Amino acid sequence: MPVFTLSRRTLLAGTAALAASAALPPITLAAEPRKGGRLVVAADSEPRNLNPAIVASNGVFFVSSKIVEQLAEADYEGEDGLSPRLAVSWEGAEDGLSATFKLREGVTWHDGKPFTSADVAFSALEVWKKLQNLGRTVFKDLEAVDTPDEHTAVFRFSKPTPFQLIRNALPALSSVVPKHVYAEGKIEDNPANNAPVGTGPFRFAEYKPGQYCRLEKNPAYWGEGEPYLDEIVYQVLPDRASAANSLEAGEIQLAAFSAVPLADLDRIAKVPGLKVVTKGYEGLTYQLVVEINHRREELADLKVRQAIAHAIDKDFVVKTIFLGYAETATGPVPKNDRQFYTADVPTYDFDVARANALLDEAGYKRGDDGTRFSLRLLPAPYFNETKQFGDYLRQALAAIGIDAQLVNNDAAAHMKAVYTDHAFDLAVGPPVFRGDPAISTTILVQSGIPDGVPFSNQGGYHNAVMDTLIEKASQTLDAGARTELYKDFQRLVAADLPLINVADWSFISVASDKLRNIADNPRWAVSNWADTWLEE
């Protein structure tokens, strides 16, 4: 497991370094894993719903991936970049109308009931397809799941569906829940959403709001000899500074998702007994974007959007807000995605003079006070970086005569304002790229998305060419041809600017050097931690 002493030029300065590291196999540790022990982890938020089959988000996965398992997990070395979990093999039909999963035998739910293909069919048809924030798009054409025996599930699609997409979606979108727990009543209101029943290496034990969430070892786990840990405790520490202090005091052993402030990393990397780890997030690239409400007359004008793009100094953002731990973005696919990324897209250099000229050409002259027009700017409250970028963007827009009025909300109010009420002009968003544009990226610009779907196109943008391209890619079975279509997609997004991609960033883990087998897959922070252990 590579451990890096970070400077402001490492990690995602650039992301290509991470992509290269992802190609390296994890280093096998010589020490024999120790069984037992309690791992205490910093948690800076408390998800309201812990069912990852409904809410596919990293905040939910961080806890629930240890409890509720998916069909397959991302892997640095595995075939197609995957390793088996509840499925042991998968195969797609040549016509794209079916996909067959062979399921693991001898698996039981935490309440002792057997895991079967009926659970997979129920999860896919009733939860992923109908309710999941991202699965509703990926599995929209899933019409049936045949279960010829208890350990075979055959997904049948009404339209050709690329197996490349289904395969890429497995780590994030295929969490399986027990049919016998959810079959009665409204799935969204089931108490198990906050006290999950799964098949994973750890069972949900207790939750004390504002204090901690505790998981305990599943003694009947299917993984031989796993898990090694007895307990995982998520200690609620909303203040990042307190996470750093707790690590140094030995009160916690892990702060993932950059819970330690970036500004503290140089110092904490020198603290004896702690290590700073940059691997384990390659499959979780966050994207800093400016979301645009195209219902606003000024923002419906491409020249205005181009002017805003030219007004943003991406290099400054990376160096000053992310302290070098990010990379400038060129479009909707991050540079570390070797499968789909293309650099052949229109770009917008930082050029205030050009931005002002475009606004003049669009007919938005400065008034006597130097202001052309005013906008409501809503920065997402989830990360310090998104909030800081909101402050920066307000200043950048002022330089070109746009008065941006900051509206700071808590998480719930922000989600409602942007994705349900459309009460914004510009918003700062942090969507996640999950390995395939169809999973969580095309939804940001595709028209016709219902109100209330988080991290989707709620800005009223409509482009028939874009929609046709997205639809064509969603039904193209040949992987090479599909990849080329998504390169065309990137070019169109960069040319028409339905939103503005500013930077791509990943995260840092700071851990006790007694914590072993960490960062051994590209989604480690949100994987099951069955093989993670603590030295005495």
Side-chain angles (χ1 to χ4, degrees):
M1 173 192 61
V3 177
F4 302 92
T5 300
L6 293 177
S7 70
R8 291 180 178 136
R9 295 181 181 175
T10 56
L11 181 59
L12 275 174
T15 307
L18 277 180
S21 72
L24 299 174
I27 298 172
T28 302
L29 298 168
E32 186 71 20
R34 167 183 172 257
K35 293 190 176 183
R38 169 189 290 174
L39 172 61
V40 185
V41 184
D44 64 358
S45 64
E46 300 173 82
R48 295 183 180 182
N49 187 319
L50 285 175
N51 184 347
I54 294 178
V55 184
S57 78
N58 290 337
V60 175
F61 289 142
F62 188 39
V63 177
S64 296
S65 58
K66 289 70 182 164
I67 306 167
V68 180
E69 295 186 295
Q70 69 275 63
L71 296 177
E73 181 58 275
D75 192 286
Y76 286 131
E77 295 183 287
E79 184 179 357
D80 299 322
L82 297 171
S83 60
R85 287 294 186 268
L86 290 177
V88 295
S89 68
W90 39 88
E91 183 178 5
E94 289 187 6
D95 62 6
L97 293 175
S98 68
T100 300
F101 295 88
K102 293 295 183 180
L103 306 177
R104 190 176 297 278
E105 299 185 23
V107 177
T108 58
W109 294 101
H110 293 158
D111 61 8
K113 299 284 177 55
F115 159 75
T116 72
S117 55
D119 298 307
V120 175
F122 177 83
S123 297
L125 291 169
E126 301 301 323
V127 189
W128 310 343
K129 176 183 171 70
K130 294 181 180 179
L131 302 176
Q132 192 183 69
N133 55 326
L134 302 177
R136 282 184 290 190
T137 299
V138 173
F139 296 104
K140 63 182 173 59
D141 295 322
L142 180 66
E143 63 177 359
V145 178
D146 297 342
T147 54
D149 59 58
E150 290 192 340
H151 299 103
T152 304
V154 183
F155 286 35
R156 300 203 178 277
F157 300 91
S158 60
K159 296 179 181 178
T161 299
F163 190 59
Q164 180 190 49
L165 167 60
I166 300 303
R167 197 174 57 227
N168 289 343
L170 294 179
L173 306 189
S174 69
S175 297
V176 183
V177 295
K179 179 180 179 180
H180 65 274
V181 171
Y182 281 93
E184 299 295 329
K186 194 173 181 180
I187 292 172
E188 302 96 310
D189 297 335
N190 196 301
N193 292 333
N194 293 308
V197 177
T199 59
F202 297 92
R203 302 182 301 198
F204 181 85
E206 64 176 326
Y207 170 50
K208 298 282 188 182
Q211 299 179 49
Y212 64 85
C213 177
R214 183 172 66 86
L215 313 183
E216 62 185 14
K217 178 178 182 175
N218 173 16
Y221 185 55
W222 56 261
E224 185 177 355
E226 296 177 333
Y228 298 132
L229 295 167
D230 284 337
E231 286 185 317
I232 301 174
V233 176
Y234 292 86
Q235 186 74 44
V236 177
L237 297 170
D239 178 7
R240 289 190 181 189
S242 64
N245 294 336
S246 295
L247 278 165
E248 293 185 73
E251 296 167 353
I252 65 173
Q253 291 83 44
L254 174 66
F257 283 108
S258 298
V260 172
L262 297 179
D264 289 346
L265 290 177
D266 283 341
R267 177 187 63 79
I268 208 163
K270 300 178 177 69
V271 174
L274 296 179
K275 57 190 175 187
V276 176
V277 183
T278 65
K279 285 191 68 178
Y281 296 98
E282 295 84 353
L284 306 172
T285 302
Y286 274 68
Q287 300 177 283
L288 183 70
V289 304
V290 179
E291 298 173 282
I292 298 171
N293 194 337
H294 294 255
R295 300 174 186 84
R296 178 71 184 257
E297 179 183 358
E298 296 91 339
L299 298 176
D301 189 322
L302 176 58
K303 287 185 177 180
V304 173
R305 302 197 298 273
Q306 290 173 333
I308 294 172
H310 278 298
I312 298 171
D313 187 344
K314 295 181 181 180
D315 288 331
F316 177 86
V317 170
V318 166
K319 292 174 184 176
T320 305
I321 294 177
F322 290 96
L323 303 182
Y325 305 125
E327 187 164 45
T328 59
T330 59
V333 174
K335 296 174 185 176
N336 70 344
D337 188 275
R338 292 171 290 175
Q339 185 175 16
F340 294 106
Y341 174 74
T342 179
D344 181 22
V345 299
T347 57
Y348 302 87
D349 295 336
F350 174 56
D351 189 336
V352 174
R354 177 62 181 148
N356 277 306
L358 283 165
L359 290 170
D360 289 340
E361 291 171 20
Y364 297 105
K365 304 294 185 180
R366 290 180 184 265
D368 292 340
D369 62 354
T371 300
R372 302 175 190 273
F373 52 84
S374 297
L375 296 172
R376 292 169 298 177
L377 171 58
L378 279 64
Y382 318 119
F383 304 106
N384 287 343
E385 290 77 20
T386 53
K387 291 182 284 188
Q388 290 169 7
F389 178 73
D391 291 330
Y392 163 79
L393 183 57
R394 181 182 60 80
Q395 297 173 37
L397 293 174
I400 59 173
I402 298 176
D403 174 31
Q405 300 172 3
L406 281 176
V407 180
N408 290 302
N409 292 316
D410 62 19
H414 179 84
M415 294 290 279
K416 185 175 185 296
V418 176
Y419 301 110
T420 299
D421 297 342
H422 312 142
F424 74 102
D425 296 313
L426 300 177
V428 180
V432 181
F433 185 80
R434 299 187 183 276
D436 192 297
I439 295 175
S440 58
T441 301
T442 57
I443 194 173
L444 299 171
V445 298
Q446 185 177 8
S447 68
I449 306 299
D451 292 354
V453 177
F455 303 110
S456 69
N457 173 17
Q458 296 299 330
Y461 175 76
H462 179 268
N463 182 324
V465 175
M466 181 81 74
D467 288 343
T468 299
L469 178 57
I470 291 171
E471 182 68 15
K472 183 177 181 181
S474 74
Q475 297 180 18
T476 296
L477 303 182
D478 180 81
R482 184 169 178 269
T483 297
E484 288 305 311
L485 286 170
Y486 281 124
K487 290 181 179 179
D488 290 340
F489 164 74
Q490 292 168 73
R491 284 186 275 268
L492 184 54
V493 170
D496 204 37
L497 294 177
L499 48 74
I500 299 171
N501 290 86
V502 178
D504 302 320
W505 89 94
S506 189
F507 292 97
I508 315 290
S509 295
V510 181
S512 164
D513 59 11
K514 294 182 178 181
L515 185 61
R516 300 303 186 95
N517 275 8
I518 74 171
D520 56 5
N521 75 63
R523 287 170 26 95
W524 179 79
V526 296
S527 64
N528 69 17
W529 297 2
D531 63 348
T532 298
W533 58 282
L534 276 167
E535 286 184 344
E536 289 191 87

